[in-house]
Amino acid sequence: MSAPTLESVRTATETLSRLTAYLRDKPDPKEAFALVTPLLDEYTGIPVQFGDILRAFARSLLENPDTPRSREVSVLVDELRAAAWEQSDQHTLHYSLDHVRALIDNGPKTRPGAQSAGK
């Protein structure tokens, strides 16, 4: 696999920023749900990926021969690993998707031929 570029990482970040802005515009809940669902996937969602990224980054620092061996570096690596666990723990957000799915699926339905009040 080729290494990601700084540009590709920025593009991913910009895409997430655009999603945030879009969701602030109050789109249809079904469409919003479809866009958010992959981000909270139990195995590949952002919390899991970000935790893995932080762990891999900490490992790359430790394994690099140019990284100084000092107490400060050890503390930084420990902080990265702790943050990785905190992020990975957020994977439980995917359970919230089940509740949102139920809310959307069981929400009020407009019957064919029914008109909404005020029309």
Side-chain angles (χ1 to χ4, degrees):
M1 173 183 263
S2 62
T5 64
L6 181 57
E7 185 60 31
S8 66
V9 173
R10 283 189 177 138
T11 298
T13 302
E14 288 171 9
T15 299
L16 292 173
S17 293
R18 286 183 21 239
L19 174 60
T20 301
Y22 177 73
L23 293 173
R24 286 181 179 144
D25 285 340
K26 302 177 188 99
D28 176 74
K30 287 183 182 181
E31 185 176 351
F33 178 76
L35 292 170
V36 171
T37 297
L39 300 177
L40 297 178
D41 183 85
E42 179 179 10
Y43 302 106
T44 60
I46 288 178
V48 173
Q49 292 293 325
F50 195 48
D52 289 346
I53 288 167
L54 291 171
R55 278 186 283 282
F57 180 51
R59 185 173 32 263
S60 72
L61 286 173
L62 282 178
E63 293 176 357
N64 187 306
D66 294 333
T67 300
R69 305 297 179 229
S70 67
R71 176 77 180 125
E72 292 82 13
V73 170
S74 293
V75 168
L76 287 172
V77 167
D78 288 345
E79 289 174 356
L80 287 170
R81 287 178 173 162
W85 280 110
E86 288 176 22
Q87 292 302 312
S88 295
D89 281 347
Q90 297 302 312
H91 82 279
T92 59
L93 285 170
H94 81 274
Y95 293 116
S96 298
L97 291 179
D98 293 335
H99 299 291
V100 172
R101 183 179 292 111
L103 178 72
I104 289 171
D105 290 347
N106 297 321
K109 307 255 189 291
T110 304
R111 291 175 296 166
Q115 293 185 1
S116 61
K119 283 196 175 185

